[in-house]
Amino acid sequence: MIAALLLTLAVGFVSSFYPGLPVEPYLIALMATTSHNAVVMGVVAGVGQSAGKMGIFLATRGAVRLPVLRRWIDRRKEEQAAADPSPPRWWTRWGQRLTAYARRLLPMEKPWMAFPMILLSSVVGIPPLLLMTFAAAATKMRAWVFLVACVIGRCVRLVAVALTPAAAGFFIT
C-alpha cells in the first residue's frame, strides 16, 4: 500500500509538468487491477499534481521577477523606442487602448476571480491548468490561494477518475 501511495504521488507530480505522462490512465489502471481505496489514491494523485503545479507557479513567478530578465526587457523597450522615434500612429494607440481594455476584463487580473478560474481549470481542464499556472504566476495572485484552488480542484477531478472503474463494474475481489 505504501509503495502504491508513493508511486501515485510521484506519477501525479511528474504528470503536472510533463503532459506525456498523464495521471488519469494510471489511476484507472491502478483502480481496475488492485483493491486500493480509490478516494485515497485520487487525493494522493491530486496532492502530487498540485505540488508540481506549485513548483511551476513559483519558478515562473521567480523568473518573471528576476532582475536580469527585468533589465533585459527594459533594455529592449529602450532600443525599440530609440529605433522608432516617430510618434505612435493611430493604430498603435488604438491597439494600446484595446490591450488595456482587455487586461481589465481578464479574470486572472482580479483577485476575486482568480480562485474560481483556477478551480474550474483544475477540475474541468478547460483552459488547461498548465497554461493557467503560467498565467496566474504572472499576476498578483497569492501562492497559497493558487495552491488551495489547485489542491481542491485536482483532488475532486482525480477522485472522480479513480472511482470510474468501480462505476463501470470492475471490481477486484
Side-chain angles (χ1 to χ4, degrees), residues 51-138:
K53 297 294 182 197
M54 190 64 186
I56 294 169
F57 179 87
L58 293 174
T60 303
R61 181 162 281 177
V64 168
R65 294 182 179 164
L66 277 176
V68 173
L69 185 60
R70 284 280 156 214
R71 283 193 302 268
W72 183 80
I73 291 170
D74 293 340
R75 224 180 355 227
R76 293 288 299 157
K77 285 181 181 178
E78 291 171 4
E79 289 172 4
Q80 288 176 351
D84 187 19
S86 63
R89 304 204 191 295
W90 67 270
W91 58 79
T92 305
R93 288 191 305 269
W94 185 77
Q96 290 169 345
R97 278 191 228 130
L98 187 62
T99 302
Y101 182 69
R103 272 202 174 279
R104 283 189 298 247
L105 293 179
L106 284 175
M108 293 301 293
E109 291 294 323
K110 297 175 181 74
W112 59 274
M113 282 296 292
F115 183 85
M117 286 296 295
I118 296 296
L119 189 64
L120 178 71
S121 176
S122 62
V123 172
V124 180
I126 299 173
L129 185 57
L130 186 60
L131 298 178
M132 293 300 288
T133 302
F134 291 122

Side-chain angles (χ1 to χ4, degrees), residues 42-54:
V43 169
V44 167
V47 168
Q49 272 212 334
S50 299
K53 297 294 182 197
M54 190 64 186

